[in-house]
Amino acid sequence: MHKGESNVWKTLVAYFSASGVTEAVARRLADAIGADVFEIAPREAYTAADLDWTDSSSRSTRECKDPACRPALKSMPEGMEAYETVLIGFPIWWYTAPNIIKTFLEAWDFSSARIALFATSGGSGMGKTMSDLEPSAPQARWLDARRFSSDASARDLAAWVDTLA
């Protein structure tokens, strides 16, 4: 999929990271394939208390329980129309993507883009992530979704990108 310096396919690695784990994987991936990188950041940053999944009233728990929730974004990348491929990374929350990923997908017309998802998780799989996210960008060409450990190598990440059709 990625053609390196020839830039046949302009690629963006966009990621949301609550604790830094997904950010590290996203940056390793972007470096490995020579892609641009963008942090999907909430307008209001998450605190440790917001991320306490054991607290049923924490912000992250409330957001995940509300399918209509769309946390506001701090910003969007400029020139999104230039990207043919967007690799979107996030941590798995309650067996799916955090709702801020839906906010990101719904903020842009991805009709000329290919989207592949990657996630980090201590043990949860991708669950219902694809079916949850596809309605937020139904015009996109959806590719693969893959979960990686926090120590995924640049070689493994680049190999995954090479499998995308």
Side-chain angles (χ1 to χ4, degrees):
M1 177 172 92
H2 182 74
K3 298 295 185 183
E5 294 303 314
S6 67
N7 211 15
V8 171
W9 292 308
K10 188 158 175 78
T11 301
L12 175 68
V13 174
Y15 71 90
F16 166 70
S17 187
S19 66
V21 172
T22 304
E23 177 180 14
V25 172
R27 291 192 179 279
R28 196 174 312 127
L29 170 60
D31 287 347
I33 64 171
D36 294 338
V37 66
F38 175 78
E39 179 183 9
I40 301 169
R43 184 174 298 146
E44 179 186 339
Y46 289 92
T47 66
D50 291 337
L51 298 172
D52 183 358
W53 63 273
T54 64
D55 179 356
S56 62
S57 64
S58 73
R59 178 178 164 197
S60 59
T61 302
R62 288 190 326 269
E63 287 178 0
C64 285
K65 287 182 178 180
D66 179 1
C69 175
R70 298 295 185 271
L73 298 173
K74 186 175 181 179
S75 65
M76 279 292 285
E78 303 225 356
M80 281 292 293
E81 65 279 353
Y83 297 104
E84 182 181 66
T85 303
V86 182
L87 309 175
I88 303 173
F90 47 85
I92 295 292
W93 287 3
W94 290 266
Y95 303 100
T96 192
N99 284 338
I100 195 167
I101 301 303
K102 292 177 184 175
T103 306
F104 178 77
L105 289 168
E106 292 167 5
W108 189 259
D109 175 6
F110 285 94
S111 59
S112 63
R114 304 172 330 154
I115 296 174
L117 306 173
F118 67 96
T120 57
S121 171
S124 300
M126 293 297 283
K128 56 187 177 176
T129 304
M130 287 291 285
S131 62
D132 282 352
L133 293 180
E134 285 177 341
S136 293
Q139 68 281 20
R141 180 172 169 221
W142 288 85
L143 304 173
D144 193 21
R146 183 84 46 96
R147 182 182 68 83
F148 290 100
S149 65
S150 61
D151 62 349
S153 71
R155 188 170 127 191
D156 288 344
L157 294 166
W160 168 66
V161 171
D162 287 342
T163 68
L164 300 175

